Amino acid sequence: MKPLNADLHCHSTVSDGLLPPADLVRRAHANGVELLALTDHDELGGLAEARATADEVGLRFVDGVEISISWGDDQTVHIVGLAVDPADAALSVGLQQIRSGRDARAGRMAAELDKVGIHGAYEGALRHAGNPALVSRSHFARYIVEQGHAKDVKSVFDYWLAKGKPGYVEHAWATLEDALRWIVGAGGIAVIAHPGRYRLSRAERHELFGVFKDLGGRGIEVLSGSHKDDEVREFSRIAREFGFLASRASDFHGPGESWIDLGKMPDLPEGLTPVWTQL
Ligand code: AMP
Ligand code: MN
Ligand code: MN
Ligand code: MN
């Protein structure tokens, strides 16, 4: 049987993507995606438009979200919620709390960038943000490229915005417990996003996955736009070890700015249970 072309992680202008929800859904459909989840950072605001467009073009759609949490010693980890109820009050209030911290963080980032010669970054990032409640490092990165300080968004992270660089500021996001409570409470399935991107030792990673599972977490992104082949093998093994459902995710943000386009990932390795068997 032909594997399903599922893409269960992407972003619109409601968070730090470059395309409005409707355009994103049309692009996914044109790319051959058969099951799509929109997972904006800490936001549900794009889901209604995305679902309406998906209905129009005949694409199966899943309501999703990507929640920012703090873990251990100032690590940020992302937890994707799939098939959450967008009308769930506790989820909405929780996400609203996370968003409300972003503006002050943006101010602190801009102050740090100012010291290294990048001026006007707060206003500049806001200008790039489709949603003023969701200013992200991606919007700062686009402003910094626009000002000619770097050739592309990737280099901005390497020089200025990644942890340990001048424009990086510590920030307290939600906790893993919060994220799991909100997602599970809203009827959703919690999935660890892009596990290959965290700077954690093997033991620390193991601890994260164990606690996540104990709190009701069920899935892991085995395929993510940012995963290399050896990471796909490693997280396939971990999915089997922990009994996690396996997800397939582009983490697409926009044309020219992402590792991979919507739905263009390889098929899941054999022997894993796809998360969409539960959707
Ligand atoms: P924030 O939630 O404001 O900390 O922004 C995080 C976002 O920045 C992620 O969701 C990615 O879209 C983007 N990002 C993080 N690291 C990188 C990187 N190394 N290269 C490109 N984009 C990145
Ligand atoms: Mn992002
Ligand atoms: Mn992420
Ligand atoms: Mn993402």
Side-chain angles (χ1 to χ4, degrees):
M1 213 175 72
K2 191 171 132 312
L4 187 76
N5 189 340
D7 189 342
L8 300 176
H9 183 155
C10 64
H11 298 273
S12 76
T13 45
V14 170
S15 64
D16 60 349
L18 290 169
L19 302 177
D23 294 6
L24 190 74
V25 170
R26 287 183 196 287
R27 186 182 185 96
H29 186 244
N31 281 5
V33 173
E34 296 164 295
L35 178 68
L36 179 74
L38 173 62
T39 56
D40 276 312
H41 297 286
D42 311 321
E43 255 289 6
L44 305 169
L47 296 175
E49 178 183 319
R51 180 172 287 284
T53 310
D55 287 348
E56 205 180 299
V57 301
L59 170 56
R60 250 180 91 199
F61 182 75
V62 173
D63 292 305
V65 65
E66 182 176 16
I67 302 184
S68 316
I69 67 142
S70 297
W71 173 258
D73 176 24
D74 187 40
Q75 286 281 337
T76 299
V77 168
H78 287 169
I79 306 293
V80 161
L82 296 175
V84 291
D85 174 4
D88 185 86
L91 175 63
S92 295
V93 171
L95 296 178
Q96 165 65 41
Q97 271 165 21
I98 306 184
R99 289 197 300 274
S100 68
R102 279 189 177 266
D103 192 61
R105 171 193 187 235
R108 288 186 290 130
M109 285 177 62
E112 293 303 313
L113 288 167
D114 196 66
K115 293 182 196 163
V116 294
I118 296 171
H119 307 299
Y122 177 80
E123 295 74 17
L126 254 188
R127 196 156 40 70
H128 281 271
N131 173 359
L134 213 123
V135 190
S136 103
R137 282 186 290 163
S138 304
H139 303 115
F140 278 88
R142 288 170 195 149
Y143 171 72
I144 292 169
V145 171
E146 175 197 277
Q147 294 299 300
H149 297 290
K151 66 175 193 313
D152 56 24
V153 159
K154 175 86 185 61
S155 345
V156 178
F157 278 88
D158 293 346
Y159 289 106
W160 282 291
L161 297 183
K163 191 175 175 184
K165 304 296 172 183
Y168 180 87
V169 301
E170 288 198 7
H171 184 73
W173 301 107
T175 64
L176 183 63
E177 289 78 2
D178 289 334
L180 269 290
R181 198 174 62 250
W182 298 333
I183 292 169
V184 174
I189 297 180
V191 176
I192 296 187
H194 43 65
R197 299 246 309 264
Y198 309 127
R199 279 194 268 165
L200 298 171
S201 68
R202 219 164 240 274
E204 289 168 335
R205 231 174 40 191
H206 217 264
E207 194 197 344
L208 168 67
F209 299 155
V211 175
F212 170 78
K213 185 172 171 142
D214 289 345
L215 291 169
R218 296 180 61 198
I220 190 166
E221 288 181 354
V222 168
L223 291 171
S224 165
S226 59
H227 282 173
K228 306 197 175 54
D229 290 351
D230 58 330
E231 291 171 321
V232 174
R233 279 193 294 275
E234 171 71 355
F235 295 114
S236 298
R237 193 188 61 68
I238 284 173
R240 287 192 204 94
E241 180 185 339
F242 283 84
F244 287 147
L245 300 162
S247 192
R248 182 173 185 266
S250 64
D251 204 0
F252 179 77
H253 282 70
E257 221 184 77
S258 286
W259 288 279
I260 201 162
D261 207 331
L262 292 160
K264 299 293 184 185
M265 303 74 75
D267 296 329
L268 274 179
E270 298 284 318
L272 298 172
T273 309
V275 66
W276 53 91
T277 58
Q278 310 297 309
L279 293 173

